Amino acid sequence: MSAWTGAGRRIAGRRIAGRRIHIQEVGLRDGLQAECRFVPTADKIALADLLSGAGLAKLEVSSFVSPKAVPVLADAADVFAGIARAPGVVYSALVPNVRGAERAVAAGVGEMNLVMSASESHNLSNLRMTRAQSFAGLADVAALARRHGIAVNVSLSCSFGCPMEGDVPQQDVMDWCARFVDELGVQGITLCDTTGMAYPTQVHALTEAVRARWPGIELTLHFHNTRGMGLANVLAAIDAGADRFDASLGGIGGCPYAPGATGNVCTEEVVHALQLMGYDTGVDLARLLQAAVRLQDLVGHDVPSQIVKAGRRLDLHPRPAA
Amino acid sequence: MSAWTGAGRRIAGRRIAGRRIHIQEVGLRDGLQAECRFVPTADKIALADLLSGAGLAKLEVSSFVSPKAVPVLADAADVFAGIARAPGVVYSALVPNVRGAERAVAAGVGEMNLVMSASESHNLSNLRMTRAQSFAGLADVAALARRHGIAVNVSLSCSFGCPMEGDVPQQDVMDWCARFVDELGVQGITLCDTTGMAYPTQVHALTEAVRARWPGIELTLHFHNTRGMGLANVLAAIDAGADRFDASLGGIGGCPYAPGATGNVCTEEVVHALQLMGYDTGVDLARLLQAAVRLQDLVGHDVPSQIVKAGRRLDLHPRPAA
């Protein structure tokens, strides 16, 4: 018996049919950050409300980085002020430092998402700091969040490989997770495949190791489809017990190391596939697709989403005339 | 223990590390057939030789349909006359009828690939015949092939769903397989996901059923990535015991029902992923990528391949200056 036998069966003690998988939307932050065009604040708010209405478990709404560094997300506070807060939905934001954290607290974020890289070269390149410097700064952010009773998630970039260093040893990833969980007491860890280097057997092994060591931690997997392995990696992680995934509406959110390649795994593709397999995503796919079509207008170009182009599996075509 | 644990382990009695998976290239036929531009015969021959040199198990070299119906493949006989026949590589061709079969025999094909649809509507739409009419015609082709000692494979379109009828019952697919295997004595069956409707649990179930009933038949799975599930379906089929897959260089070969969507699963993406997981594809990925880059020039546009855009997982970038 294997993980693929679908509806109504159990695999190695795990339920497939009806098993809940939480889909967390990162398009508003990770996606829009990669766009050149500034999406007007009112449109961001409307899109966020469409997404929460479609049943997504968590939205990364924006980023409290310097508005000068990322002008397309300079309206983070206004977006938070405008969105409807749907019951049960977590509204998260990326927070790089204490100044950002103070703005995030004022905006009423439900969770702070802290980012650093498991790879020294990528951290230096992306954040202009050593990992040790990043960790020290994020410790201050986590302390501030704790004082305000706000949950903290850490996104560990390059957990499955670094575009400059290559393989990142699993032990390095585990060691950084340990520092965040055991020293800082964060509530969640996201293992990020920042540049699309993850592959299914590797994903299974790391997911299993992290879950076994920290069963109480909310574990998220964040995949990019850069080399076409996004969905396969999601399924490998589910098979290892994971139940939370970041995904980006339309599949937006590219990678600076792979111009022209697709970005984050596409929310509607992941939801479409998981629902067909019998998983419960809690998402209304029809409403999600309305949001994806709207997103195309907002960003002003086609999005990578195959579901936007091809429709759902059972969106049928007319039969030939008899 | 699951199917994802990778190198060196065994799963439910199946070997992952070093397990041989046969990759069969359909870009020269299924791919080029979807292109507007006629690729010159000499370029087709050079591409075929690059592909056999890269270690692919089988090439669908061309199609012996009416040259008027598919002008871009009108040079089938010349291509067969020009290619080098690498030892161990099967050179296949699509054969629609007895006239095509006679041309295929004269060209020295190693295998005839016969096509019909598991769905009546799709067969009527695509081949302008009922399935019963198709079967009768293909029986004549199979008889001719047998007289000449040439192997026959049947590709059953829409085995995982029909864009007009929706779900195709697994029993219908099994019944058509039975007619080809038990009545006509074909050597191989390809279950084709013609318009990208297959999903992993379904793939697992059908693969398992066909393998259990006809263990001596050479079973191939043919997936399109139309809805982003191509690689996940390949892995699901492997998990159910399949070891032969069609794939298309560059991922070319679109679907008329989904304009703009990607086509066949991409050969270099499948090989890249399977090799990382520890499977033995017998393919030299570097040489395969040279062929993919050349293909882009021949068709005159970018191809869907993510590996052409992003490079292999460990094609590294310079580290930041200290």
Side-chain angles (χ1 to χ4, degrees):
Chain A
M1 193 60 64
S2 88
W4 299 103
T5 36
R9 309 202 192 168
R10 280 170 183 276
I11 293 90
R14 296 195 199 99
R15 196 162 42 95
I16 281 196
R19 183 175 152 203
R20 182 60 188 266
I21 305 293
H22 304 271
I23 307 296
Q24 308 178 162
E25 175 61 41
V26 300
L28 291 163
R29 201 285 299 170
D30 201 1
L32 292 186
Q33 186 172 328
E35 298 291 325
C36 303
R37 182 191 284 200
F38 179 83
V39 173
T41 307
D43 290 325
K44 284 175 182 149
I45 292 167
L47 192 58
D49 290 347
L50 273 177
L51 289 165
S52 59
L56 290 154
K58 188 189 284 190
L59 304 187
E60 191 177 39
V61 176
S62 192
S63 171
F64 289 96
V65 290
S66 154
K68 276 184 213 150
V70 185
V72 292
L73 299 182
D75 56 355
D78 293 334
V79 176
F80 266 95
I83 54 176
R85 307 278 179 131
V89 177
V90 175
Y91 295 91
S92 176
L94 191 150
V95 172
N97 51 35
V98 168
R99 192 164 43 186
E102 288 162 350
R103 291 170 59 211
V105 170
V109 306
E111 178 191 272
M112 296 194 197
N113 186 28
L114 282 42
V115 177
M116 68 168 272
S117 182
S119 138
E120 188 77 358
S121 298
H122 186 263
N123 208 71
L124 284 168
S125 168
N126 197 41
L127 302 174
R128 320 251 169 232
M129 285 185 271
T130 65
R131 289 174 294 179
Q133 290 168 327
S134 278
F135 184 81
L138 296 179
D140 293 339
V141 174
L144 187 151
R146 193 161 43 240
R147 284 198 299 278
H148 289 276
I150 297 173
V152 172
N153 184 79
V154 171
S155 285
L156 206 55
S157 304
C158 297
S159 288
F160 300 92
C162 166
M164 291 159 280
E165 295 181 10
D167 279 315
V168 170
Q170 181 170 315
Q171 191 57 52
D172 289 12
V173 177
M174 296 294 284
D175 289 347
W176 283 107
C177 288
R179 297 203 61 188
F180 281 103
V181 176
D182 302 338
E183 292 182 33
L184 301 192
V186 303
Q187 285 74 43
I189 291 276
T190 302
L191 301 173
C192 297
D193 181 29
T194 311
T195 64
M197 296 175 71
Y199 55 95
T201 45
Q202 176 201 34
V203 167
H204 190 283
L206 182 56
T207 301
E208 204 166 51
V210 171
R211 274 180 45 86
R213 181 149 164 199
W214 297 286
I217 280 289
E218 198 172 281
L219 173 65
T220 296
L221 282 296
H222 174 112
F223 295 118
H224 282 234
N225 196 38
T226 320
R227 290 173 176 88
M229 294 185 280
L231 179 62
N233 286 330
V234 168
L235 297 180
I238 289 177
D239 195 39
D243 62 0
R244 293 187 172 270
F245 296 91
D246 284 351
S248 172
L249 190 69
I252 62 172
C255 165
Y257 295 97
T262 56
N264 290 276
V265 290
C266 169
T267 312
E268 58 269 31
E269 286 183 24
V270 171
V271 168
H272 178 261
L274 293 183
Q275 289 184 349
L276 286 171
M277 294 178 73
Y279 292 104
D280 171 20
T281 63
V283 175
D284 180 332
L285 184 55
R287 293 177 76 175
L288 188 64
L289 284 172
Q290 290 167 8
V293 169
R294 179 147 181 183
L295 176 70
Q296 285 202 124
D297 293 335
L298 295 179
V299 297
H301 58 77
D302 281 357
V303 293
S305 170
Q306 296 286 328
I307 307 295
V308 167
K309 295 184 186 78
R312 290 166 294 186
R313 176 174 183 272
L314 291 180
D315 290 341
L316 301 182
H317 296 257
R319 298 184 189 215
Chain B
M1 191 60 65
S2 88
W4 300 102
T5 35
R9 308 201 193 169
R10 280 170 183 275
I11 293 91
R14 297 196 198 100
R15 196 162 43 95
I16 280 195
R19 182 173 153 204
R20 181 60 188 266
I21 305 293
H22 304 271
I23 306 295
Q24 308 177 162
E25 176 61 40
V26 300
L28 291 163
R29 201 283 298 169
D30 202 2
L32 291 185
Q33 187 172 326
E35 297 291 326
C36 304
R37 182 192 282 199
F38 179 83
V39 172
T41 306
D43 289 325
K44 285 175 182 149
I45 292 167
L47 192 59
D49 290 347
L50 272 178
L51 289 165
S52 60
L56 290 154
K58 188 188 284 190
L59 304 187
E60 192 177 38
V61 175
S62 192
S63 171
F64 289 96
V65 291
S66 155
K68 276 183 214 148
V70 184
V72 293
L73 300 182
D75 56 356
D78 294 333
V79 176
F80 267 96
I83 54 176
R85 308 278 179 133
V89 176
V90 175
Y91 294 90
S92 176
L94 191 150
V95 173
N97 50 35
V98 168
R99 192 164 43 187
E102 288 162 350
R103 292 170 59 211
V105 170
V109 305
E111 177 192 273
M112 296 194 196
N113 185 28
L114 282 42
V115 177
M116 68 168 272
S117 182
S119 139
E120 189 76 359
S121 299
H122 186 263
N123 209 69
L124 285 168
S125 168
N126 197 41
L127 302 174
R128 320 247 170 237
M129 284 185 272
T130 65
R131 289 173 296 178
Q133 290 168 327
S134 278
F135 184 82
L138 296 180
D140 293 339
V141 174
L144 188 151
R146 195 161 41 240
R147 285 198 299 278
H148 289 276
I150 296 174
V152 172
N153 183 79
V154 171
S155 286
L156 205 55
S157 304
C158 296
S159 288
F160 299 92
C162 165
M164 291 159 281
E165 295 182 11
D167 278 316
V168 170
Q170 180 170 315
Q171 192 56 51
D172 290 11
V173 178
M174 296 294 284
D175 289 346
W176 283 108
C177 288
R179 295 203 63 187
F180 282 103
V181 176
D182 301 339
E183 293 182 32
L184 301 192
V186 303
Q187 285 74 43
I189 290 276
T190 302
L191 301 173
C192 297
D193 182 28
T194 310
T195 64
M197 296 174 71
Y199 55 95
T201 46
Q202 176 200 34
V203 167
H204 190 284
L206 182 56
T207 302
E208 204 166 52
V210 171
R211 274 179 45 85
R213 181 148 164 200
W214 296 288
I217 281 289
E218 197 172 281
L219 174 64
T220 296
L221 281 296
H222 174 111
F223 295 117
H224 282 234
N225 197 38
T226 320
R227 290 172 176 89
M229 293 185 281
L231 179 62
N233 285 330
V234 169
L235 298 181
I238 289 176
D239 195 38
D243 62 0
R244 291 188 174 270
F245 295 92
D246 284 351
S248 172
L249 190 68
I252 64 171
C255 165
Y257 295 98
T262 56
N264 290 277
V265 290
C266 168
T267 311
E268 58 268 31
E269 286 183 23
V270 172
V271 168
H272 178 261
L274 293 183
Q275 288 185 349
L276 286 170
M277 294 178 73
Y279 292 104
D280 170 20
T281 63
V283 175
D284 180 332
L285 184 55
R287 293 178 75 175
L288 188 63
L289 283 172
Q290 289 167 9
V293 169
R294 178 148 181 182
L295 176 69
Q296 285 202 125
D297 293 335
L298 296 179
V299 297
H301 58 78
D302 280 358
V303 294
S305 170
Q306 296 287 328
I307 307 295
V308 166
K309 296 184 185 77
R312 291 166 294 188
R313 177 175 182 271
L314 291 180
D315 290 342
L316 301 183
H317 296 256
R319 297 184 190 215

